[in-house]
Amino acid sequence: MRSGPKAMRRLVVEVRAAVRYNLFISTAPSGSTDAVPNDKPWSDMMTTPNEPNTGILAINGGAKSCDHQWPQWPVWDDAERTNLNNVLESGNWWFGEQVHQFEREFAQFQGAKFGVTVSNGTTALEAAFMALGIGAGDEVIVPPYTFLATASAVLRANAIPVFADIEPDTLCLDPVDVERKITDKTKAIMPVHFGGYMADMDRLGQIAKAHGLLIVEDACHAWGSQWKGKGAGTLGSCGVFSFQASKNISSGEGGIIVTDDEAVADACASVINCGRIKGGEWYKHYVMASNLRITEFQAAILLAQLSRLEAQTLKRMENAAILNDALAGIPGISLTKPEPRMPRRSYHMYTLRLDSTVLGISREQFIAACQAEGVPIGTGYPIPLYRQPVFQSFEPNAAGCPVTCGFYGRPVDYSSVSCPVCEQVCEDTCWISHQALLADGEAVRSIGDAIRKVCDNLKELQ
């Protein structure tokens, strides 16, 4: 029988893997046959004991810790090829049954009643604001740790984005700061489920209800994420997803709005289809709108992509759990906090924050050392959105909407905005891309080994 400290550490790892495996199986959808086999060996879920690694760092000439070929993105096979060829040969290339089938199936995947496809995630946000009547004189509260489109879509609706800070351990909107930023002009709150981690929808929902506000979910990282069993995008008035080239489900470009409100769905469908309405005549246009449709080719790709998204999501969750265990307890590294209300997470990226005062090296040194070991890691957003040139260049006394719109009647000066948590996160956070989480368990464990090796040999970098 095994005995001693090493054996005890190994036993602890086995028990943790067994517990995690059983919890993981319990969250898989009933009837799923392609997620995780019931006879999966515990060894596939285990991490190696966290013992110091005193090897020479690869950046200084040592051997790589994770010398693997990482999965390429996008993933595709004969399913995409067959679907595309079928559309090609049908001659029906424009906004037909493939589009509508995908709208139904993706809405069902998220647990929503309705889905409306849009040309991309950015225009999907813009269309959602138009459909909900958000416009001149309105404020929308948004986080600053996100892609430009979250805020630019508000401006393109002639409304004003108001930045609220994020939580340090979720990287999502801080409900406390959201409540501080509400004014008589606030019309909506737009949480971003960053990296697939769901914002605190319980608290944000309470705040919205208390102040009579709309919630528009920017779920462009959150395909398959759930909050207390409800899919991302279904907890507010509507939710928006992106299918851009880097996303977990991709058609190069594309987007969708999901909602449980038929009136919202009909309004979105009109906005993206030249102002036509359900049951109306083809050449009658009822609202000022645009052409934001996708094609049958995009839908054909998305239907194939959707067929493997469930299994890929579960695989990413499984591998993220391996990384969580491998990186737990390393001084100077912090991970997003566990959230029991979030049984499913898409993991568009895996994030970790660094405390350079503890590590004794900069983020750039850390990333360079990890990349030399073979870790697919990099920095994230370099600055908060409000520090982007487009926001810093607004002139408070310039004429015209949205920032000096007569309906708004207040000065807008983003140069004075400060969200301290976001500013620190922009300086210390690292991202590991989602496709790395589709690798086998051994490769993912080697990421943890490599990061631990760097942290065990920091003196080589100082």
Side-chain angles (χ1 to χ4, degrees):
M1 182 175 179
R2 295 176 296 179
S3 61
K6 288 188 178 180
M8 182 58 69
R9 283 195 294 270
R10 184 68 176 175
L11 178 60
V12 169
V13 170
E14 291 176 357
V15 170
R16 289 170 71 184
V19 170
R20 185 174 67 256
Y21 174 68
N22 287 330
L23 288 174
F24 181 74
I25 289 298
S26 71
T27 64
S30 60
S32 175
T33 59
D34 60 355
V36 182
N38 291 333
D39 60 349
K40 186 177 181 69
W42 288 3
S43 60
D44 284 357
M45 297 288 288
M46 290 192 295
T47 58
T48 55
N50 295 329
E51 299 177 350
N53 186 330
T54 57
I56 299 173
L57 294 179
I59 200 170
N60 292 331
K64 285 186 176 182
S65 291
C66 53
D67 194 6
H68 297 278
Q69 285 293 112
W70 300 105
Q72 297 297 301
W73 193 258
V75 172
W76 62 276
D77 59 22
D78 282 344
E80 280 86 352
R81 181 181 288 109
T82 298
N83 285 5
L84 284 170
N85 196 54
N86 287 343
V87 169
L88 178 69
E89 293 182 352
S90 75
N92 299 316
W93 298 356
W94 178 84
F95 200 59
E97 182 49 39
Q98 297 294 305
V99 171
H100 301 314
Q101 181 182 345
F102 176 74
E103 289 174 335
R104 292 190 299 269
E105 292 190 10
F106 187 82
Q108 183 179 21
F109 180 80
Q110 289 299 131
K113 292 181 180 177
F114 306 101
V116 179
T117 50
V118 193
S119 54
N120 55 62
T122 300
T123 52
L125 289 170
E126 295 171 9
F129 291 142
M130 291 179 67
L132 293 170
I134 295 172
D138 295 331
E139 294 175 347
V140 179
I141 297 176
V142 302
Y145 196 67
T146 179
F147 182 62
L148 174 68
T150 303
S152 68
V154 179
L155 289 166
R156 287 181 63 81
N158 272 328
I160 301 296
V162 173
F163 294 100
D165 212 344
I166 59 175
E167 296 176 312
D169 49 5
T170 71
L171 310 187
C172 296
L173 262 181
D174 179 356
V176 175
D177 202 37
V178 166
E179 199 152 29
R180 280 196 291 258
K181 299 297 173 63
I182 292 173
T183 73
D184 61 323
K185 296 284 189 179
T186 307
K187 185 71 173 286
I189 301 168
M190 184 157 59
V192 174
H193 303 312
F194 179 77
Y197 194 108
M198 297 281 289
D200 188 343
M201 296 306 294
D202 287 352
R203 188 72 189 101
L204 291 174
Q206 292 166 358
I207 293 170
K209 184 176 181 180
H211 294 273
L213 305 177
L214 301 170
I215 290 182
V216 178
E217 296 175 70
D218 183 336
C220 289
H221 289 181
W223 327 258
S225 291
Q226 293 180 356
W227 183 263
K228 297 169 74 170
K230 293 196 68 175
T234 69
L235 294 116
S237 297
C238 63
V240 170
F241 298 82
S242 170
F243 307 127
Q244 182 263 352
S246 68
K247 301 305 172 67
N248 295 27
I249 167 174
S250 174
S251 53
E253 284 287 2
I256 194 169
I257 303 166
V258 302
T259 181
D260 285 338
D261 188 325
E262 186 171 8
V264 171
D266 288 346
C268 289
S270 180
V271 167
I272 68 101
N273 191 22
C274 305
R276 299 181 176 98
I277 63 173
K278 187 164 54 179
E281 295 180 32
W282 185 250
Y283 283 117
K284 284 192 175 178
H285 309 275
Y286 293 84
V287 299
M288 188 62 65
S290 189
N291 175 1
L292 305 175
R293 301 179 298 253
I294 68 169
T295 69
E296 290 285 273
F297 290 107
Q298 289 167 284
I301 293 173
L302 288 168
L303 283 166
Q305 293 270 301
L306 183 60
S307 69
R308 59 178 82 89
L309 182 58
E310 175 78 6
Q312 289 173 338
T313 300
L314 295 175
K315 181 67 173 177
R316 291 185 182 102
M317 289 174 61
E318 174 188 349
N319 280 331
I322 291 174
L323 268 184
N324 287 343
D325 278 355
L327 302 180
I330 299 179
I333 291 182
S334 59
L335 310 177
T336 50
K337 70 177 182 181
E339 177 49 83
R341 294 172 294 179
M342 183 175 57
R344 298 279 293 275
R345 178 179 171 185
S346 64
Y347 280 101
H348 181 51
M349 71 272 292
Y350 185 95
T351 59
L352 54 150
R353 297 188 63 194
L354 309 179
D355 186 337
S356 292
T357 61
V358 173
L359 295 174
I361 60 173
S362 68
R363 178 177 63 173
E364 288 65 32
Q365 288 175 293
F366 175 85
I367 287 175
C370 288
Q371 289 176 341
E373 298 291 338
V375 177
I377 192 171
T379 59
Y381 301 125
I383 53 176
L385 267 191
Y386 53 80
R387 287 189 177 172
Q388 288 288 347
V390 65
F391 291 101
Q392 294 294 307
S393 65
F394 284 143
E395 296 181 12
N397 297 318
C401 286
V403 293
T404 57
C405 179
F407 290 102
Y408 188 56
R410 297 176 184 176
V412 178
D413 181 8
Y414 289 109
S415 66
S416 64
V417 174
S418 177
C419 294
V421 174
C422 180
E423 290 168 15
Q424 183 59 45
V425 165
C426 288
E427 293 180 3
D428 67 25
T429 299
C430 306
W431 296 358
I432 297 174
S433 59
H434 67 90
Q435 56 262 43
L437 297 178
L438 295 178
D440 60 47
E442 179 184 357
V444 172
R445 276 189 287 274
S446 75
I447 293 177
D449 292 341
I451 291 175
R452 188 168 287 275
K453 176 185 174 184
V454 170
C455 292
D456 287 341
N457 296 276
L458 291 169
K459 288 185 178 180
E460 291 189 37
L461 304 171
Q462 294 167 344

